Amino acid sequence: MKITFLHRSAQYTLLSLTCKDSFQVTLNSIGASVRSVGYTDSADKFKNIALSFASDSDYTGNPLYAGATLGPCAGRISGGSLSLPKKKYSLTRNEKNRHCLHSGIHSVSFINWTLVSIREEDTSAEVLFQCTLPDGCDGFPGNRTFSVSYLLNEAHELTVRYRAVSDKTTYFNMSNHSYFNLSGNFEESVYDHLLQIHADSYIYNDDEFIPEGIAPVENSPFAFRKPVSLTRQMKAFPDHPQLTVSRGYNHAFLLNKNNELPQLVFTSPDSAKKLFISSDAPCVVVYSGGFIESGLPLSGNQISCPGCAAAFEFQDYPDAPGNHGFPFHYTEAGKEWTRYIKYSFVFSCSRENK
């Protein structure tokens, strides 16, 4: 395995982790983001399957949170109100001036993380980033330290590990917001990909994507227990109000922990490329990208369109602090919070098959 610095300055660091067969993951210190994921095909052309902006500088604002670390809290907190023992906190309401989305405007998704260490071995490579947020930033309590490590091995398994600690009792719910299109063509919809999720229930939302309740996936467009394309499910339920409001999917699935890992499998239409994802998080929010803007400049001289990629956010129950009766676990001062997400990429069209 090899780690290569592609850019290093006070503004940001860009580096790649590369396997012996040329499979590669590129990371950006802004947001501790996944910049690209790809392989060299039979024509010696690099095929990127993770939605990436054309310019590294776009990650400072990152309108799509593309590839970014989400924290201290992924998703929405309704009303921007966080109730913890002995105190209620008012958070930044950066969505419609009503809700706190992905932790507000000063979240870890937009800052330049410190590269703490790199490690190269024969069969793996690891990169560790760290950052801090002060007490009261976007309303969240505690002087907090965050770390995220990316470990890639020769089997094309990328394991992401999150750790966080605070000097005050607070709420952590970190995740990653990478979007994937396994075809590598981000100018076309991802809806013909097959999706499988080991989940018997999903959470339905109101028109502002705030949870309203839990329902079984059976006999609904949310039945992905067997591999099925997004297109097929949406066509089978063309007038389903949940799909209409979300322009597709933007919903949490309650993961079955009694099944063998992985909990989610994403497959290209030609079945040549598969993404397996597992995590210790209780839920995954599937976002099919219906609100992605048209015309955003992407890497590889491509232009975005709605539905051009899908994101899988492994996290707590959405809006867990929001009095929905969902499990809600805060982190006491001085206690370490952790989470992992493991991505396994399987390609039948990679360089070794030339």
Side-chain angles (χ1 to χ4, degrees):
M1 294 286 295
K2 184 178 181 180
I3 296 176
T4 304
F5 283 91
L6 306 176
H7 178 90
R8 198 168 192 180
S9 70
Q11 285 71 45
Y12 69 95
T13 299
L14 192 70
L15 69 171
S16 62
L17 288 68
T18 307
C19 297
K20 295 172 185 175
D21 64 0
S22 297
F23 178 80
Q24 183 180 95
V25 175
T26 302
L27 305 173
N28 191 332
S29 63
I30 300 175
S33 303
V34 175
R35 180 71 167 82
S36 65
V37 176
Y39 61 96
T40 302
D41 66 13
S42 57
D44 278 331
K45 182 179 180 181
F46 183 75
K47 298 280 287 186
N48 176 32
I49 61 167
L51 188 148
S52 305
F53 296 120
S55 172
D56 296 334
S57 61
D58 290 336
Y59 286 81
T60 303
N62 203 344
L64 301 180
Y65 294 85
T69 297
L70 301 176
C73 178
R76 294 167 177 82
I77 296 181
S78 59
S81 179
L82 175 63
S83 293
L84 295 174
K86 301 180 181 180
K87 190 170 181 179
K88 179 181 288 188
Y89 297 87
S90 295
L91 310 178
T92 297
R93 300 181 184 185
N94 60 319
E95 186 178 58
K96 300 181 179 180
N97 201 32
R98 290 174 56 81
H99 311 299
C100 183
L101 175 63
H102 296 322
S103 308
I105 59 176
H106 302 102
S107 76
V108 302
S109 300
F110 307 123
I111 64 177
N112 186 25
W113 292 53
T114 299
L115 176 62
V116 176
S117 64
I118 63 172
R119 178 176 60 85
E120 285 181 334
E121 294 185 358
D122 185 55
T123 59
S124 66
E126 185 173 19
V127 173
L128 176 65
F129 294 105
Q130 189 175 91
C131 74
T132 60
L133 288 179
D135 182 28
C137 182
D138 281 312
F140 287 88
N143 294 296
R144 290 149 293 157
T145 299
F146 304 86
S147 69
V148 54
S149 68
Y150 291 95
L151 173 65
L152 179 66
N153 64 26
E154 290 287 350
H156 303 173
E157 296 172 333
L158 177 67
T159 302
V160 188
R161 295 192 180 276
Y162 303 96
R163 291 179 172 83
V165 66
S166 170
D167 63 359
K168 289 184 179 179
T169 295
T170 194
Y171 182 47
F172 293 121
N173 177 29
M174 298 177 70
S175 189
N176 177 271
H177 206 284
S178 291
Y179 297 79
F180 296 99
N181 183 325
L182 300 182
S183 75
N185 184 355
F186 292 90
E187 297 184 328
E188 294 185 356
S189 164
V190 76
Y191 296 160
D192 286 338
H193 283 55
L194 303 181
L195 178 63
Q196 182 178 19
I197 309 173
H198 291 298
D200 298 325
S201 302
Y202 77 100
I203 294 175
Y204 56 93
N205 305 317
D206 66 16
D207 59 4
E208 294 185 348
F209 310 112
I210 302 302
E212 288 192 315
I214 298 174
V217 300
E218 189 174 1
N219 299 319
S220 82
F222 300 93
F224 290 101
R225 287 177 293 190
K226 294 182 179 180
V228 61
S229 72
L230 302 175
T231 295
R232 179 177 175 181
Q233 290 296 71
M234 290 189 285
K235 285 184 175 179
F237 299 87
D239 301 317
H240 197 286
Q242 288 291 301
L243 299 187
T244 300
V245 169
S246 301
R247 301 182 188 178
Y249 295 90
N250 193 12
H251 296 81
F253 292 78
L254 280 57
L255 297 168
N256 297 340
K257 293 301 183 178
N258 57 341
N259 281 295
E260 291 186 4
L261 298 178
Q263 286 111 7
L264 185 149
V265 184
F266 198 47
T267 305
S268 63
D270 62 1
S271 299
K273 296 170 282 292
K274 293 180 181 286
L275 169 58
F276 301 85
I277 313 179
S278 58
S279 176
D280 55 356
C283 298
V284 60
V285 172
V286 174
Y287 174 45
S288 58
F291 291 92
I292 294 176
E293 297 177 38
S294 295
L296 294 174
L298 304 178
S299 62
N301 295 315
Q302 298 189 58
I303 301 296
S304 69
C305 65
C308 66
F312 309 110
E313 306 161 49
F314 284 78
Q315 58 180 266
D316 289 354
Y317 283 65
D319 194 24
N323 298 316
H324 306 290
F326 299 159
F328 172 44
H329 305 288
Y330 55 84
T331 300
E332 295 179 353
K335 297 292 182 65
E336 186 180 61
W337 176 93
T338 63
R339 172 163 294 153
Y340 80 87
I341 305 172
K342 181 179 179 181
Y343 304 87
S344 299
F345 302 90
V346 177
F347 301 139
S348 62
C349 53
S350 55
R351 184 170 184 166
E352 65 264 29
N353 294 321
K354 284 181 62 176

